[in-house]
Structures are given as C-alpha cells and as structure tokens.
Amino acid sequence: MLLWIAPLIIAAAIAAAVATRLFVRSRMPDNGWFVDSSRADTYMSVLGTMFAVMLAFVILFSLQTYQHAREGASREAIAVAELHVIAEVLGGEPGERLHGDLNCYARAVISDEWPAMRNGTSSQVVQSWVNTMAHDFTAANPVGAKQEVAYAQWFDEQAQRREGRRERLAEATPSVPLPLWIVLGIGAIAILAYMCVQADRRESALIQAIPIGLVAALVAAGLIVVFALDHPYGNWSGSIKPTEMERSLATFEQDHLAPCDERGHPNS
C-alpha cells in the first residue's frame, strides 16, 4: 500500500510547497522582506542543518529497530527448525506430538501472528501452541545418553525461540514516540515556511519553484522512510515477511501430521 501512497504524498507536498511560495511571492514587495539576504541565507543553512541532523538520527534509530525485528524473526525460525531435529531424536509418541506442535506453531506465526503484528498485537493461537508444546514436552521420557542430551538441548533452543519471538513482537509497536514526530513535523514546516518568505519576485516563477519543490520532496521522503522503518511488518515493499519461518516449516511440514489447519488453528 505504501508503495503507491508514498509518491502521492510526495507529490502533494511538492504541490503545496510550490503553490504556497508562489502565492507569497505574488504578495511580497519587489525587493523582498529581507534587508540582508546573506544573513537570511545563513539562518536557512542553520535551520536546514539542524533538521537534517535530527532526521538522520531518527532514520538511524528506526533502521536499528527494523534490523532487530529482522534478526528476531530469523533467530526464532532457526530455533524452530532445531527443535524439530531434537523432537526427531526424542522419537516415539512424545516426539511425534512435538513435531505436530512445531508445525502448528510455525503455521500460526505465519498466518495469524504476522497480520496481528501489523496492528501492534500478538496471536493467542501462537501462545496456545507454546503452552501445548511445553505440556507435551513434559511427557517426554528420555532414554539413553543421546536422548538425554537432546532433552537438555531442547531448553536452549526453546530459549532462542522465545527470545526471537519476544524481539519480533517488541518491534511490532512503533518505537518513534509522538513528541519526536511532532518535533520532526515542526522542523519540516519551519524549513518550508522560511523558504516561502525568502521568495523573490525578481526571479521567474520556475526558478522559485524548483528549490522548494526539491526540498519538499526530500523532507516528505525522509519522513516516509522513518514511518516505514518504524512499522517493519507493514504492507509495503521491503517490510519484514515471515520468509524465514516459511523456509523452516517447509523442511518438516510434509514429514509429520499436524493437529491443526493450514492457518495453525487447532482441529475441532
């Protein structure tokens, strides 16, 4: 959705900025409102630098949260694949039940929790499979050194899965606070407003429109980038998809029956 909305937002910002500057230009005196144009340019440089630094900092911060979300999803998917291997070693009825639980957990993550994260929430279906998995694991009775090692390894991989999911869910809610968005908005408006009052009737309308149009495009694009990175699971090109979990599920889905449907909901 963002892929086609973003150009519209940028185009609207350019149109509004250019129209405002040309309107101000038509109402100002021939020599402009600034007695010392060099001093006015200095103020503009300071204002622009302050906003650019602040925007760069917020983009870097949002990029870090985006990367954390991606790493958490990857860690969780790898842990699920490793748990499947451990369940294979445990074998028997407990191992088969754990295979089914892992199948359903992965399906629920892909089909139920991923859409829920777009709204900043988690999936109760996924949590129910976490609880079922813990219950079924207690029924396992390791026999021999090989199964005992696998039994102990299960706790380590479960910790990785739990931490990966926790990190993934933590980034589902926006990390850029509202006050920071307000500051960014004030900075963007201040830059464009200051460029408007610097309009000069001695130059052609085209020459006056090009600079503010470019600045408006860069400002709007920068804010869109912050918004996109702050919503890593949103419906936009480049957002984080459950690709890693789908790959893990594909490695063992066909080998074992699952007590759930394709979306991970328990069979009735």
Side-chain angles (χ1 to χ4, degrees):
M1 183 181 297
L2 189 63
L3 186 62
W4 62 269
I5 290 181
L8 295 179
I9 296 176
I10 294 174
I14 293 173
V18 170
T20 302
R21 190 176 199 191
L22 294 182
F23 174 79
V24 173
R25 173 178 174 272
S26 66
R27 298 294 189 273
M28 68 187 313
D30 292 337
N31 295 328
W33 288 322
F34 293 96
V35 176
D36 188 348
S37 59
S38 62
R39 185 172 60 183
D41 292 339
T42 301
Y43 294 155
M44 182 64 197
S45 298
V46 172
L47 186 62
T49 301
M50 291 177 61
F51 177 77
V53 170
M54 181 172 57
L55 181 60
F57 170 78
V58 177
I59 289 178
L60 179 60
F61 173 75
S62 300
L63 184 60
Q64 289 176 339
T65 62
Y66 175 88
Q67 188 61 30
H68 289 160
R70 181 181 293 277
E71 291 173 354
S74 179
R75 183 183 299 114
E76 179 189 27
I78 293 173
V80 168
E82 291 298 322
L83 288 169
H84 162 71
V85 175
I86 296 172
E88 193 75 36
V89 175
L90 292 175
E93 185 178 349
E96 193 61 31
R97 284 201 300 266
L98 290 174
H99 282 307
D101 296 341
L102 288 167
N103 271 348
C104 296
Y105 175 87
R107 292 178 183 181
V109 167
I110 295 168
S111 301
D112 198 70
E113 189 154 68
W114 224 267
M117 287 192 301
R118 293 172 186 166
N119 300 321
T121 60
S122 61
S123 168
Q124 292 301 317
V125 178
V126 173
Q127 186 58 45
S128 69
W129 287 117
V130 171
N131 299 334
T132 300
M133 208 184 313
H135 177 269
D136 289 342
F137 179 70
T138 59
N141 185 22
V143 177
K146 186 177 180 180
Q147 289 193 359
E148 288 178 356
V149 171
Y151 190 89
Q153 184 65 24
W154 178 275
F155 293 100
D156 295 335
E157 294 302 331
Q158 275 285 41
Q160 290 293 321
R161 181 206 57 76
R162 184 168 52 249
E163 179 62 22
R165 183 182 181 229
R166 185 204 62 79
E167 191 170 4
R168 170 171 60 78
L169 291 175
E171 306 304 338
T173 55
S175 56
V176 179
L178 179 60
L180 192 53
W181 277 110
I182 294 175
V183 172
L184 287 174
I186 292 174
I189 293 173
I191 290 176
L192 296 176
Y194 197 82
M195 290 189 70
C196 287
V197 299
Q198 279 189 309
D200 192 340
R201 296 186 66 178
R202 294 170 295 182
E203 293 182 342
S204 66
L206 179 62
I207 296 301
Q208 288 286 288
I210 290 176
I212 196 170
L214 293 175
V215 172
L218 290 175
V219 168
L223 294 178
I224 290 173
V225 167
V226 173
F227 179 84
L229 293 175
D230 200 35
H231 296 76
Y233 307 110
N235 188 17
W236 54 274
S237 178
S239 63
I240 301 175
K241 303 296 193 299
T243 306
E244 294 291 337
M245 186 63 76
E246 289 172 349
R247 290 173 181 170
S248 294
L249 179 61
T251 61
F252 57 81
E253 184 178 27
Q254 303 302 324
D255 299 331
H256 303 277
L257 296 176
C260 60
D261 60 19
E262 292 299 321
R263 294 182 55 83
H265 294 270
N267 293 331
S268 56

